[in-house]
Amino acid sequence: APPSPHRGAPPAATAAVRSAKATTPAFVRPAAGGLRAASSSAVAAASSSSSDAMTARGGGGVGVDVPLLVYFALWYLGNYYYNISNKLALKATGGAAGFPMTISALQLGIGSLYGIFLWLAPDAREKPKVTMDDIIKMLPVAFCYAGAHSASVFSFSAGSVSFGQIVKAAEPAFAAVLSQFVYGRKISKAKWLCLPIVIGGVILASVNELDFAWAALISACLANMFAAVKGNENKKLMETEGLKERIGSVGNQFAITSILGFLLSIPFVLAREGSKLTGAGGFVESLKTIPALRTNMIASALWFYGYNELSTMTLKKTNAVTQSVANTAKRVIVIVGVALVLGESLDFMKLLGCGIGIGGVLLYSIIDSLVKPKEE
């Protein structure tokens, strides 16, 4: 008999060849479990082989942070699907003339239920140990969080999602003004010089906007203001001695903020849309009779909660420049992707303004790190 082609090979190599032969049919002829089982086996085997290879090299290969890549992918995916399902829920009840305030509040409420479920489920997430004094200190952050969310939802109900996202990209302009003149945190001259680029891009994108509405513009600007205040208030809040330890985790902080935000939203829902909640054509009847409202509102709530928590986890694992690039890329993907799915206008002037505005935001985010070395 001819000599075996593997004779004389190291035992590890022979084992690897036999293993490869044994697993190859899973890709060609799926077992009785079907295509899904074969795919899962393939992914698991590939992941295991990759991990073994990295270990064998002693970490000498390319250090790919797989969990971080998964965080990024799910963050972008969640944001994308939230914007689509949120817009479909709003359109199902007439847009701005429907129930945007009610929908935005219930999105926070449904997300809060998920956060509470994680506390109650065995070994899912450790409960926070916050005091009533801590809760009171968190109210300003929660109020601004709810305000930013409600204003954003109203903006999307009054105009296109892509236009609302372009205006929301100008948030650094609001953050700069508030930080400098309200909170006493100095903003560098380089950052101030970037703001006209951001504002100019937003104006350019608005020139030929087919779905332009002042309500959408004003609401998006209001959302930016709330978000900027929330950022500054959160910095103050995290300076409270021992608060981080009592909260326990980023997930706990977001869950508490969502619960408080939902509760603070209820009076505004009753004041603005209370008369339309019940009766003929009211929200309760619409919820029962319009499947698109029910399905998309629940989906958007879960997507919103999930992608926000994932974004926080992602940004905590990256440096400032990576965060800026990631946020910029996310904004571009959402604007273009959602516009294509929902059939919104994407003319040249809008895309040009979008590019200039978002490019200005990226420059604003990293300008200090670019200028500082030259000054030193």
Side-chain angles (χ1 to χ4, degrees), residues 110-120 125 252 255 259 305:
I110 294 169
S112 299
L113 291 176
Y114 177 72
I116 294 172
F117 166 76
L118 292 179
W119 289 334
L120 298 178
R125 179 176 289 167
N252 281 347
I259 294 169
Y305 189 96

Side-chain angles (χ1 to χ4, degrees), residues 1-360:
S4 170
H6 308 303
R7 181 171 297 170
T14 305
V17 171
R18 289 174 180 168
S19 176
K21 287 182 177 179
T23 57
T24 299
F27 295 93
V28 181
R29 294 186 298 273
L35 184 59
R36 182 176 299 176
S39 176
S40 299
S41 300
V43 172
S47 176
S48 176
S49 299
S50 175
S51 176
D52 291 345
M54 291 286 288
T55 304
R57 286 194 296 266
V62 179
V64 179
D65 191 338
V66 176
L68 181 60
L69 292 178
V70 173
Y71 285 164
F72 269 116
L74 293 177
W75 171 26
Y76 285 16
L77 189 70
N79 194 295
Y80 172 77
Y81 278 112
Y82 160 72
N83 278 277
I84 293 175
S85 56
N86 177 59
K87 183 64 176 182
L88 292 176
L90 293 167
K91 288 176 70 175
T93 55
F99 313 97
M101 191 71 197
T102 304
I103 290 173
S104 68
L106 287 176
Q107 286 171 342
L108 298 182
I110 294 169
S112 299
L113 291 176
Y114 177 72
I116 294 172
F117 166 76
L118 292 179
W119 289 334
L120 298 178
D123 301 323
R125 179 176 289 167
E126 187 177 351
K127 299 181 185 70
K129 299 178 177 62
V130 292
T131 64
M132 183 55 66
D133 187 50
D134 293 333
I135 296 294
I136 292 173
K137 289 180 179 179
M138 294 178 76
L139 288 176
V141 173
F143 178 78
C144 292
Y145 166 72
H149 178 60
S150 297
S152 296
V153 171
F154 188 84
S155 174
F156 298 150
S157 72
S160 67
V161 174
S162 55
F163 176 69
Q165 289 285 357
I166 292 171
V167 178
K168 285 186 67 180
E171 181 188 323
F174 293 80
V177 172
L178 283 169
S179 296
Q180 181 84 41
F181 299 109
V182 178
Y183 291 92
R185 294 189 175 97
K186 188 177 179 182
I187 302 297
S188 67
K189 291 181 180 179
K191 282 185 178 289
W192 281 111
L193 292 174
C194 294
L195 295 183
I197 302 174
V198 178
I199 297 170
V202 172
I203 293 172
L204 198 61
S206 307
V207 172
N208 292 332
E209 172 59 33
L210 299 180
D211 296 319
F212 178 81
W214 281 107
L217 176 62
I218 294 171
S219 297
C221 289
L222 191 62
N224 285 342
M225 187 191 74
F226 274 121
V229 175
K230 172 181 169 287
N232 282 284
E233 288 294 327
N234 194 58
K235 287 180 182 178
K236 288 171 56 179
L237 177 67
M238 289 297 104
E239 292 171 1
T240 303
E241 185 178 353
L243 181 61
K244 286 183 180 179
E245 291 73 21
R246 290 192 293 274
I247 290 177
S249 67
V250 172
N252 281 347
Q253 183 183 357
F254 186 67
I256 295 171
T257 304
S258 296
I259 294 169
L260 294 177
F262 167 66
L263 296 175
L264 292 170
S265 297
I266 294 175
F268 295 93
V269 171
L270 296 176
R272 181 172 177 80
E273 299 171 2
S275 60
K276 301 190 295 181
L277 294 179
T278 57
F283 179 79
V284 175
E285 181 182 325
S286 299
L287 195 62
K288 294 177 180 178
T289 58
I290 305 176
L293 168 63
R294 187 169 56 251
T295 303
N296 287 294
M297 186 183 70
I298 294 173
S300 62
L302 295 176
W303 283 121
F304 180 77
Y305 189 96
Y307 95 74
N308 269 287
E309 188 167 322
L310 277 167
S311 69
T312 307
M313 294 165 65
T314 304
L315 298 180
K316 274 187 169 292
K317 290 170 66 71
T318 57
N319 57 37
V321 175
T322 304
Q323 292 173 18
S324 303
V325 174
N327 273 309
T328 303
K330 179 212 71 176
R331 190 82 67 181
V332 172
I333 291 171
V334 169
I335 289 173
V336 176
V338 172
L340 291 174
V341 171
L342 298 177
E344 297 176 351
S345 64
L346 275 178
D347 58 43
F348 173 76
M349 194 65 72
K350 184 174 182 177
L351 288 174
L352 179 62
C354 173
I356 293 174
I358 293 179

